Amino acid sequence: FATVAFFLSWSSVYNCNYVQFTTIQDTSLSLGFGLFSHSWYAVSIPLGGSVVFQACIGYGSTAIDGSMKAARIFSILALVIGSIFFFRNIIGGCVNPNKRAYTRSEGVAYLSACLFQGLSLLLLNSPTVCTNNQLIHQLQSELDSRENIQIEFNDTCTLSTGARCCIAAIVFWFLAALASCQATSVEERKG
């Protein structure tokens, strides 16, 4: 469980599509925002039409609010705490494969990772990202100035890949905590 939780947690932290804004028109165009980066579009208008390029870039000089700062800190804490115990188990299994040291601290650490991973969903309350996104307003004004591009984004964000990975990581950190506590109690009964 910890292996899956680690990779899901990693994916949610370093993904530029934690939440997304979709277009009002029926297009597959969406603009994603992550904890540390966001997707951005460059519009090129060659002869005979327009071309839209997408890139994943950092926030740069964009003001970061408290909810976003907290979400960043909690997601990094979940990743660090979970990965320390995850890699400790991997290394411990390689050093002495016949005997595994089960400790209660492992279950508590995975439960802490679960809690911190859940608190990283505070990004959904962030005015910088979801409720009053200045980058969306900037892009919308750029698109409105072009005559041949008719794209309008929704006012609210929706969950995207990063947030879904985060929710799945919460579940797997919790399952890792339960499995670790169960293994610890079984080892104590045997010993």
Side-chain angles (χ1 to χ4, degrees), residues 27 33 46 62 74 77 88 105-106 119 134 155 161 163 171 180:
T27 65
F33 291 86
T62 305
F74 287 131
L77 281 172
R88 191 186 107 202
S105 62
E106 182 180 303
L119 288 171
Q134 294 303 314
D155 293 333
T161 307
V171 171
S180 178

Side-chain angles (χ1 to χ4, degrees), residues 14 20 40 91 114 126-127 142 150 160:
Y14 296 109
Q20 68 181 356
W40 196 246
I91 293 168
C114 172
S126 171
E142 287 178 22
Q150 300 299 321
S160 189

Side-chain angles (χ1 to χ4, degrees), residues 116-170:
F116 291 141
Q117 192 75 54
L119 288 171
S120 71
L121 289 171
L122 284 171
L123 185 69
L124 299 174
N125 290 332
S126 171
T128 302
V129 176
C130 273
T131 55
N132 187 22
N133 193 316
Q134 294 303 314
L135 295 171
I136 289 287
H137 297 305
Q138 177 186 350
L139 180 63
Q140 194 65 58
S141 66
E142 287 178 22
L143 292 173
D144 290 343
S145 68
R146 314 277 171 111
E147 294 103 29
N148 64 344
I149 301 175
Q150 300 299 321
I151 297 173
E152 188 175 344
F153 287 96
N154 286 315
D155 293 333
T156 58
C157 67
T158 57
L159 297 180
S160 189
T161 307
R164 290 183 183 122
C165 285
C166 178
I167 293 167
I170 293 167

Side-chain angles (χ1 to χ4, degrees), residues 32-79:
F33 291 86
L35 291 166
F36 295 97
S37 59
H38 63 91
S39 58
W40 196 246
Y41 292 100
V43 179
S44 174
I45 304 176
L47 296 174
S50 60
V51 179
V52 179
F53 299 98
Q54 182 181 10
C56 191
I57 61 173
Y59 283 101
S61 63
T62 305
I64 305 297
D65 62 89
S67 294
M68 189 168 184
K69 287 178 185 176
R72 285 178 168 185
I73 291 169
F74 287 131
S75 65
I76 294 297
L77 281 172
L79 192 59

